[in-house]
Amino acid sequence: MSAVLDHHGHDVHDHHDHHAPAGWRRWVFATNHKDIGTLYLLFSFTMLMIGGILALCIRAELFQPGLQFFNPELFNQFTTMHGLIMVFGAIMPAFVGFANWMIPLQIGAGDMAFARMNNFSFWLLIPAALLLVGSFFMPGGAPAAGWTLYAPLTLQMGPSMDAGIFAMHIMGASSIMGSINIVVTILNMRAPGMTLMKMPMFCWTWLITAYLLIAVMPVLAGAITMTLTDRHFGTSFFNPAGGGDPVMYQHIFWFFGHPEVYIMILPAFGIVSQIVPAFARKKLFGYASMVYATASIAILSFIVWAHHMFATGMPVTGQLFFMYATMLIAVPTGVKIFNWLATMWRGSMTFESPMLWAVGFIFVFTMGGFTGLILAMAPIDIQVQDTYYVVAHFHYVLVAGSLFGMFAGYYYWGPKWTGVMYPEWKGKFHFWGSLITFNITFFPMHFLGLAGMPRRYADYALQFADFNAIASVGAFGFGLMQVWFFLFVVLPMMRGKGEKAPQQPWEGAEGLEWEVPSPAPFHTFEVPPKLNASATKIIA
């Protein structure tokens, strides 16, 4: 490989790996963006496994009618904790891990803007996770009010509810600090020549996501603090006996909750927007429209929250407003899907694992989007409110959306992180196994919901038995695929076992991250690199 010089004449690749500290101190006191990114990803995978075990407990109970293994109280604790752990412990930290790893590499920055705050924002997650998971061992068991923590149930829970509230406060603080770090890094630390409109799409989607997080995490903090004061300090925000209103909690929660949905999907859009052009060997179709569509989704996400509340007795005028606003948000989302398909159109496509996951993402996310469009219609939503149709819809968006996006990102950038190529057949086996078992699990739930099966019930009528049995079998298969992924794809790569990854493993990939060796050196871009006109290559 020829030496690539920066504008001071230093070799950009001659970075001092011996600066990396050794032993436990490297991880506990980590300030390097790559190490912190790795910590986030390992933490989120651990939480994914814990949340997944709870999901399998739920599906084991629902395999047949009647109560098999758990009483209804414990079943409700499982459903609540599964949701909280997956949203706040698995999906959000995983995308922050991707941001930590990739944003400095993609914009030519030496590190994140606030390295020590970056360390602190990660380590906050550990006590939060211990509080959350540890609530199972408190008197009365874990919170059992549903992941949305609706009053008045939350006002009647045992001490574990307080532990859950504190855990979410700490995770919220971590998210806000991580977001501030991302915003400042992207706005202030781009290499000379990299304008905002030349940034990779992943950086754009994360910049917008970070603003969303900073805007809505304090709203969630307000809602759960009001719950806490209602529980212990004699206030009656949500207690009707004192003049409070439980529906007010729903308004506040969903004002956070709907932007939160986009917080969990926009980074996946960014990952897919990196991968599709690489494997179609074409430029991303409509880059500027992609940026504006992402920003539009973020702005519109603030005016659709009450579509979660059509069944609360909302006046027709309100129903109409939220119905049309929700349908409107499908337009920028459709723009993104159109752009991905147009990028693929007449491209020289190959289907290595990252591309398979990206195409699988587009297919299944689009299905989830369509079921969401159906739920946007108030008359239909009132029929299927709180049924398995809603469960099917949001798992299509979140599992097949966020999770498939993450897998795509791992297969795409993993060789750059570890310096090792995964065996292609293992990636394909993981993809097809996950896609098939995912659909076996969640597709039948649409029919269960349309037939009237309510969610969060430990038991059900006989007519729902067949589809529930199919869904449970699929769920165990899906869980096993993720264990297989960790044991046979991730662990060998982390241990450095396998074929050595080239600096540029994907023929069509562009971007600064492919300008550094694999694995990426501990310190990259100590001096800002000098970029070519398109800001995708370093020039001597």
Side-chain angles (χ1 to χ4, degrees):
M1 185 183 71
S2 60
V4 180
L5 303 180
D6 62 37
H7 47 278
H8 295 299
H10 300 134
D11 185 346
V12 171
H13 295 143
D14 179 25
H15 288 305
H16 320 289
D17 281 271
H18 54 268
H19 284 183
W24 60 269
R25 279 187 175 79
R26 171 176 177 179
W27 301 102
V28 174
F29 302 123
T31 51
N32 182 284
H33 71 98
K34 302 179 186 74
D35 284 355
I36 293 172
T38 303
L39 286 169
Y40 266 109
L41 289 165
L42 288 172
F43 169 82
S44 69
F45 194 83
T46 306
M47 296 301 274
L48 182 79
M49 289 293 106
I50 295 169
I53 288 165
L54 295 178
L56 295 184
C57 291
I58 293 167
R59 286 316 320 169
E61 179 55 59
L62 294 175
F63 182 67
Q64 286 178 305
L67 294 178
Q68 326 294 323
F69 305 106
F70 310 111
N71 63 34
E73 288 80 11
L74 187 57
F75 182 86
N76 283 345
Q77 293 172 30
F78 286 162
T79 53
T80 302
M81 296 300 289
H82 164 70
L84 289 173
I85 287 169
M86 287 303 202
V87 170
F88 296 103
I91 294 177
M92 289 167 70
F95 280 135
V96 179
F98 275 98
N100 265 296
W101 248 107
M102 295 317 303
I103 287 172
L105 284 180
Q106 289 191 325
I107 64 173
D111 208 305
M112 297 294 278
F114 305 115
R116 289 184 191 281
M117 186 167 87
N118 206 8
N119 173 288
F120 186 49
S121 65
F122 170 75
W123 285 109
L124 278 178
L125 290 174
I126 305 299
L130 291 173
L131 263 178
L132 200 56
V133 178
S135 65
F136 273 111
F137 306 102
M138 294 181 176
W147 84 274
T148 51
L149 304 177
Y150 276 4
L153 279 174
T154 44
L155 309 182
Q156 300 157 9
M157 291 281 136
S160 64
M161 192 68 235
D162 305 320
I165 287 171
F166 284 127
M168 288 167 74
H169 269 302
I170 297 167
M171 285 176 164
S174 164
S175 289
I176 290 169
M177 285 195 286
S179 300
I180 291 169
N181 219 338
I182 288 164
V183 169
V184 176
T185 304
I186 291 175
L187 295 185
N188 291 345
M189 296 179 68
R190 301 190 307 283
M194 179 168 286
T195 61
L196 282 173
M197 291 309 276
K198 285 179 182 169
M199 280 199 313
M201 268 314 297
F202 180 69
C203 297
W204 258 117
T205 54
W206 242 117
L207 178 64
I208 290 165
T209 301
Y211 276 115
L212 278 178
L213 272 164
I214 293 166
V216 302
M217 289 315 289
V219 178
L220 175 67
I224 57 180
T225 305
M226 290 153 91
T227 303
L228 195 69
T229 60
D230 271 11
R231 285 169 57 79
H232 297 293
F233 301 107
T235 56
S236 342
F237 292 111
F238 311 130
N239 184 358
D245 184 1
V247 176
M248 181 171 77
Y249 175 87
Q250 295 191 30
H251 279 291
I252 302 168
F253 178 85
W254 286 116
F255 190 80
F256 146 82
H258 205 80
E260 166 69 16
V261 172
Y262 295 101
I263 287 163
M264 291 190 281
I265 200 68
L266 290 182
F269 286 171
I271 291 171
V272 171
S273 300
Q274 300 288 133
I275 292 171
V276 169
F279 292 92
R281 290 157 182 78
K282 282 171 65 185
K283 288 264 185 235
L284 179 67
F285 180 89
Y287 172 91
S289 66
M290 209 69 156
V291 172
Y292 297 133
T294 310
S296 308
I297 288 170
I299 293 160
L300 288 170
S301 73
F302 284 100
I303 60 162
V304 296
W305 78 89
H307 68 208
H308 298 268
M309 300 169 55
F310 283 146
T312 56
M314 189 188 300
V316 174
T317 323
Q319 290 187 354
L320 285 172
F321 171 81
F322 287 106
M323 188 162 99
Y324 293 140
T326 306
M327 289 178 179
L328 192 61
I329 219 166
V331 176
T333 314
V335 168
K336 287 177 137 354
I337 291 164
F338 174 80
N339 285 6
W340 290 324
L341 296 178
T343 306
M344 289 188 240
W345 177 251
R346 305 191 72 171
S348 306
M349 285 203 290
T350 53
F351 291 95
E352 289 89 340
S353 298
M355 185 62 161
L356 278 180
W357 283 103
V359 173
F361 165 93
I362 294 167
F363 168 64
V364 194
F365 174 79
T366 305
M367 287 174 62
F370 278 129
T371 56
L373 209 49
I374 290 166
L375 287 170
M377 294 177 214
I380 301 177
D381 183 84
I382 287 164
Q383 292 298 311
V384 293
Q385 170 78 22
D386 261 337
T387 68
Y388 266 79
Y389 188 89
V390 179
V391 177
H393 156 67
F394 73 72
H395 281 87
Y396 264 79
V397 178
L398 282 184
V399 181
S402 304
L403 198 63
F404 279 26
M406 285 175 209
F407 288 141
Y410 180 81
Y411 284 106
Y412 185 57
W413 286 313
K416 179 58 66 185
W417 300 346
T418 59
V420 174
M421 289 302 287
Y422 58 89
E424 193 56 54
W425 74 268
K426 289 184 179 175
K428 288 182 171 159
F429 180 75
H430 178 215
F431 169 73
W432 288 110
S434 296
L435 184 73
I436 292 163
T437 53
F438 168 80
N439 280 291
I440 290 171
T441 308
F442 293 105
F443 199 70
M445 292 185 189
H446 292 105
F447 302 115
L448 287 169
L450 290 169
M453 180 176 165
R455 64 200 267 209
R456 298 180 182 149
Y457 275 39
D459 193 8
Y460 53 85
L462 197 58
Q463 72 257 33
F464 304 131
D466 293 348
F467 278 150
N468 268 300
I470 293 167
S472 291
V473 170
F476 278 87
F478 187 74
L480 282 172
M481 290 314 303
Q482 311 329 314
V483 174
W484 192 91
F485 162 69
F486 187 74
L487 292 179
F488 299 112
V489 179
V490 176
L491 272 185
M493 288 175 82
M494 285 172 69
R495 288 177 178 158
K497 292 179 178 171
E499 181 193 334
K500 191 169 175 355
Q503 178 176 317
Q504 167 56 303
W506 316 117
E507 188 191 320
E510 282 195 336
L512 298 190
E513 68 262 43
W514 308 114
E515 297 281 304
V516 300
S518 300
F522 189 70
H523 294 292
T524 34
F525 307 128
E526 288 181 343
V527 178
K530 205 170 180 184
L531 308 182
N532 65 359
S534 63
T536 56
K537 280 196 164 27
I538 300 171
I539 52 172

